Amino acid sequence: MQALVTTDIRVMELRDTALPGEHGEGQVLLQVDAAGICGSDYGLYLGKHPLSNFPMIQGHEFCGTVKSLGPGTSGRFAVGERVAVEPLLGCGKCQPCRLGRYNCCIELKLLGVHEPGGFQEALLVEERLLHPVGDLPADIAAFAEPMTIALQAVKRAGVSEGEKVYVIGAGPIGLAILLASRWLGAEVAISDLVVHRLDKARRIGAALVLDARDDVVTALGAWTDGEGPSVVIDATGVPSVIRSAVDIVAAAGRIVTVGISTADVPLPLATLIRKELTVYASRNSVRMFGEAIEAVRRFRAEVGEIITHHIGLSDVQQTIELALERPDIVEKAVVVFDRAGGTT
Ligand SMILES: [Zn+2]
Ligand SMILES: [Zn+2]
């Protein structure tokens, strides 16, 4: 079988490797059907991600077909069934794991980061990480993982029906947050510097799209009768943008940070207190896969709009390079394993 190995900064090699060996206890052999390329994959590939550690097999947004079941599996899944993979491995022992918040486990391991991920034809996966996707096409099912990230963000803030949510950044995660907000019945305004992304956001249901170069504060004020959106979600990680959320959000509002930066972000304490704001950090997701799969099923056409590239394993490197140079062209790229006689 073939596996795409990131061997060094900006170097990916397609290698012929042996099929996975014997199943361990509770493991399932999965043939990978599709694997999305995430923004964090760009960082890992560039060696800029703190967890870049070569050689590695990337890809944490993937689905596959069950090929065989190991000893100690429950019988929940049948051979031939398509499943999405939850890529998080918590230790089960630390404080967050004991609280059920394994997404921020102090020894968290991720498939596609610490352990080999979906940029290969097959792998052994623990059955407990699998979620049934029914008849969803592979590319759409692979989007369940980014949808879990989006659901975690909107649920951290307790977004509710009829609320006005402002999402900053219309990359794949920003657009997924737009869909997750709609899933909960909220109305969404979204901004970006890339105009092409705003057209896409409008097509998938944004009530208001804003060029980030324009006067977004005035536009959002007009949209909310002068109050400001009650929830602002940052999907950029840009410190000045996160800082601006404090001024934009309504009094008694909530801010959610999903985008990551290693820089410090100074926040004005007087405004935070005057408005009595709540700031939520949101990391990965906890028990969101079932609902994420329902959401991508409902928003199947919209997810199809977000996916701009279907590629083979051998095209990943050049697609990442293209995405880095032209974010207006590559929104979400998905590796699809096209097999003779198989369906995707
Ligand atoms: Zn991701
Ligand atoms: Zn833990």
Side-chain angles (χ1 to χ4, degrees), residues 26-30 64-70 72-86 125-134 289 293:
Q27 285 187 327
V28 168
L29 177 64
L30 209 63
T65 299
V66 173
K67 297 310 277 185
S68 59
L69 301 160
T73 49
S74 69
R76 267 199 313 143
F77 299 102
V79 170
E81 188 169 356
R82 179 168 285 160
V83 291
V85 181
E86 181 165 4
V125 184
E126 291 185 43
E127 183 194 38
R128 67 187 172 90
L129 302 177
L130 305 182
H131 300 268
V133 300
F289 260 83
I293 290 163

Side-chain angles (χ1 to χ4, degrees), residues 147-278:
M147 186 59 83
T148 64
I149 307 300
L151 282 172
Q152 178 78 8
V154 295
K155 295 209 170 194
R156 287 283 282 160
V159 168
S160 61
E161 178 106 37
E163 265 199 303
K164 290 193 166 164
V165 174
Y166 173 43
V167 180
I168 311 177
I173 291 296
L175 294 177
I177 293 169
L178 155 60
L179 295 178
S181 303
R182 284 187 58 204
W183 174 254
L184 296 179
E187 277 187 72
V188 181
I190 190 164
S191 65
D192 204 288
L193 290 164
V194 181
V195 175
H196 183 73
R197 289 178 166 171
L198 297 177
D199 298 336
K200 191 155 286 197
R202 190 181 287 110
R203 284 203 297 279
I204 68 170
L208 180 67
V209 299
L210 300 164
D211 186 323
R213 281 165 289 247
D214 294 342
D215 181 359
V216 297
V217 177
T218 301
L220 290 166
W223 185 54
T224 55
D225 298 325
E227 291 189 326
S230 52
V231 179
V232 177
I233 305 180
D234 174 69
T236 69
V238 177
S240 60
V241 170
I242 298 168
R243 164 67 186 82
S244 72
V246 176
D247 296 325
I248 290 167
V249 73
R254 296 95 80 201
I255 295 170
V256 187
T257 60
V258 184
I260 299 179
S261 165
T262 52
D264 287 355
V265 181
L267 295 177
L269 191 58
T271 313
L272 275 176
I273 291 174
R274 177 173 55 79
K275 290 180 157 181
E276 202 180 36
L277 301 180
T278 307

Side-chain angles (χ1 to χ4, degrees), residues 38-40 60-61 145 149 173:
C38 175
S40 64
H60 56 271
E61 305 176 352
E145 197 277 344
I149 307 300
I173 291 296

